[in-house]
Amino acid sequence: MTRASLDKQPQEVATMFDGVAAKYDLTNDVLSLGQARLWRKAVARALDVRPGERVLDLAAGTGTSSLPFAAAGAYVVPCDFSLGMLREGKRRHPQLPLTAGDATRLPFADGVFDAVTISFGLRNVHDPDAGLRELLRVTRPGGRLVVCEFSHPTWRPFRTVYTEYLMRALPPIATAVSSNPDAYVYLAESIRVWPDQPRLAARLGQAGWTKVAWRNLTGGIAALHRGVKP
């Protein structure tokens, strides 16, 4: 898969991520110019987990994004549909209960999590709205959601520079550091067609989340969207 499409085939996306698992975290750090680590910290602060809470980290990949929740004393379940990512994650973090699961049909009972989060994975879900509804289903009443996803820079000149970076600079950089550079061409294109901040907020509301709000990160390159289950 090298072209972005709203009709994403789950098996194709899973296979793509299987192919980049070994160097995925390193590549993200390089391509984001180090911002990926700061964004993960922002997610952890926004979710504000407490000791003993049950947390679902969806699209967790190798489980790197789950480590701050475990360090805070929560019981975190990293979940992903890429078996290659999960195998790499189990090698690195054998203490984490990494779980295979499809975001549109999560293998969990209703209302079992105090908090749920998904970082840079919602746009790769075959049906993102179904994914948001599933996250709502497995969250207890009053539980909270944090979505961190690439978005649209708010300053127009910067937006132009950013788009040029995505489509021109990113592929050669990915070729140098990634095991599957074509996957990053797909990822760059998927970022371009993803809804902006207000439209994604509206979709959270349509999925049933309340108290929806968002905060821009790095000038809107990424955004944190939050919601609460009524």
Side-chain angles (χ1 to χ4, degrees):
M1 176 183 291
T2 58
R3 304 295 298 179
S5 168
L6 295 180
D7 184 25
K8 298 173 284 289
Q9 298 305 309
Q11 188 55 49
E12 290 182 338
V13 177
T15 300
M16 178 189 72
F17 279 103
D18 289 347
V20 300
K23 295 184 178 180
Y24 183 73
D25 294 323
L26 170 63
T27 305
N28 281 352
D29 283 340
V30 172
L31 295 180
S32 69
L33 306 179
Q35 294 299 300
R37 297 186 182 193
L38 299 177
W39 296 337
R40 283 195 294 268
K41 291 179 180 178
V43 170
R45 288 194 299 269
L47 204 60
D48 189 27
V49 301
R50 294 128 194 163
E53 285 193 316
R54 291 167 294 181
V55 177
L56 172 62
D57 185 12
L58 187 56
T62 62
T64 299
S65 59
S66 301
L67 296 177
F69 309 129
Y75 177 76
V76 58
V77 178
C79 182
D80 203 281
F81 72 159
S82 166
L83 297 181
M85 285 285 197
L86 294 172
R87 281 192 291 268
E88 180 66 20
K90 200 63 179 176
R91 185 184 69 80
R92 298 183 190 180
H93 314 298
Q95 77 280 13
L96 294 177
L98 290 108
T99 303
D102 182 340
T104 63
R105 296 187 300 275
L106 291 171
F108 308 110
D110 296 354
V112 295
F113 291 103
D114 299 292
V116 295
T117 185
I118 180 169
S119 294
F120 307 108
L122 188 60
R123 73 184 189 287
N124 296 316
V125 175
H126 177 66
D127 184 344
D129 298 309
L132 289 171
R133 291 191 298 269
E134 271 291 271
L135 284 168
L136 185 77
R137 179 185 67 78
V138 302
T139 304
R140 67 165 175 79
R144 53 211 189 274
L145 162 75
V146 171
V147 176
C148 186
E149 188 53 89
F150 288 110
S151 198
H152 295 243
T154 53
W155 188 43
R156 187 177 297 275
F158 179 55
R159 189 183 312 152
T160 301
V161 172
Y162 175 62
T163 302
E164 288 293 309
Y165 168 74
L166 278 179
M167 302 315 299
R168 294 176 184 268
L170 187 147
I173 294 174
T175 299
V177 299
S178 171
S179 55
N180 184 3
D182 281 349
Y184 287 88
V185 176
Y186 159 77
L187 291 173
E189 293 178 343
S190 72
I191 292 168
R192 289 210 308 171
V193 301
W194 185 246
D196 63 12
Q197 293 89 321
R199 286 189 293 159
L200 182 55
R203 291 171 76 164
L204 264 68
Q206 291 163 5
W209 294 96
T210 63
K211 301 181 181 178
V212 175
W214 77 84
R215 177 168 68 88
N216 289 319
L217 302 175
T218 318
I221 287 179
L224 287 179
H225 282 71
R226 289 172 290 174
V228 175
K229 181 171 179 174

